[in-house]
Amino acid sequence: MKEVKAKNIVITFQIISFIFLLFFIVSTLFTKNGYEVLIFGNICLYIVEATGLFLFLLTEFIMFIVIAIKKKKPLFIIVNILLLPLLIFGLIAADFALTCKPDAQVYSYNEFNKDIAIVNRSFLLSGESYIFEKNGVLLELIASVSGDDGYCPLRDKNDFQVEIDGNTITYTYHFDGYSQNEDNKRKVVLEYKNEHFECIKEEHDYYYD
């Protein structure tokens, strides 16, 4: 009877952990292929990815604790000790996703009957702005630009210029947001073709370019 209960516990925990792992894998595949989901102004897949990983590790950790208590076997305690660093890593990743989550602004362009979402993410000295084409809640990556010293070049609409010429949109920005030096101006050009945007020009953002 005890063996059956232990087996049922393992199966239950494995089903739960598999669901969390599935969330992590699916969201990772989407983000790595340039997709995101925007719901109520919040980026979702980024958070689901980190949270799914943490909950998967946490479920496995709890499962081994329960089994160790039920079976009173030191082997499972050793497994828990080995899983602890991974659990801590997952917790840090989840905390980072929740506290440093990207912010998004949506801009509508009536000339193309399309919306562009600009997602900004900064951490320490890393600052990036991602340009997405918005289709409902689904975002598809078109281009990305980087800033200096954690600056996101396209975060504030007052810090960049937008020029529409025919079927193109040109974003002109400073990658150095502090000095606003004219030599640090860069451009990203999007072309609207076949009902979709694509990046046709993306200038680099380093001082030596």
Side-chain angles (χ1 to χ4, degrees), residues 13 54 80:
F13 273 99
F54 170 68
N80 275 339

Side-chain angles (χ1 to χ4, degrees), residues 20 22-39 41-53 93-94 97-98 101-102 119 121 132 137-141:
F20 291 137
L22 193 62
F23 275 117
F24 168 70
I25 292 173
V26 172
S27 58
T28 300
L29 288 174
F30 268 84
T31 55
K32 295 302 181 185
N33 285 281
Y35 293 96
E36 256 296 351
V37 172
L38 183 68
I39 300 178
N42 294 308
I43 294 297
C44 298
L45 293 183
Y46 176 75
I47 297 174
V48 171
E49 184 179 358
T51 306
L53 175 61
L98 293 173
K101 65 179 182 179
V119 177
R121 183 188 303 170
F132 291 88
V137 298
L138 184 66
L139 306 182
E140 185 174 355
L141 184 65

Side-chain angles (χ1 to χ4, degrees), residues 6 34 42 71 74 83 95 98 108 112 119 135 156 166 195 206 208:
N42 294 308
K71 289 182 170 286
L83 277 175
D95 179 68
L98 293 173
S108 297
F112 310 103
V119 177
N135 296 292
D156 190 338
E195 299 184 351
Y206 303 110
Y208 52 78

Side-chain angles (χ1 to χ4, degrees), residues 3 7 11 37 93 105 115 117 119 131 172 175 185 203 209:
E3 289 293 330
K7 186 177 181 181
I11 292 173
V37 172
Q105 291 89 31
D115 292 340
V119 177
I131 304 173
T172 304
F175 75 84
K185 275 190 174 182
E203 295 181 347
D209 285 339

Side-chain angles (χ1 to χ4, degrees), residues 180-191:
Q180 293 287 305
N181 191 318
E182 289 298 308
D183 293 335
N184 297 337
K185 275 190 174 182
R186 299 292 184 268
K187 291 185 178 181
V188 174
V189 182
L190 310 181
E191 182 181 31

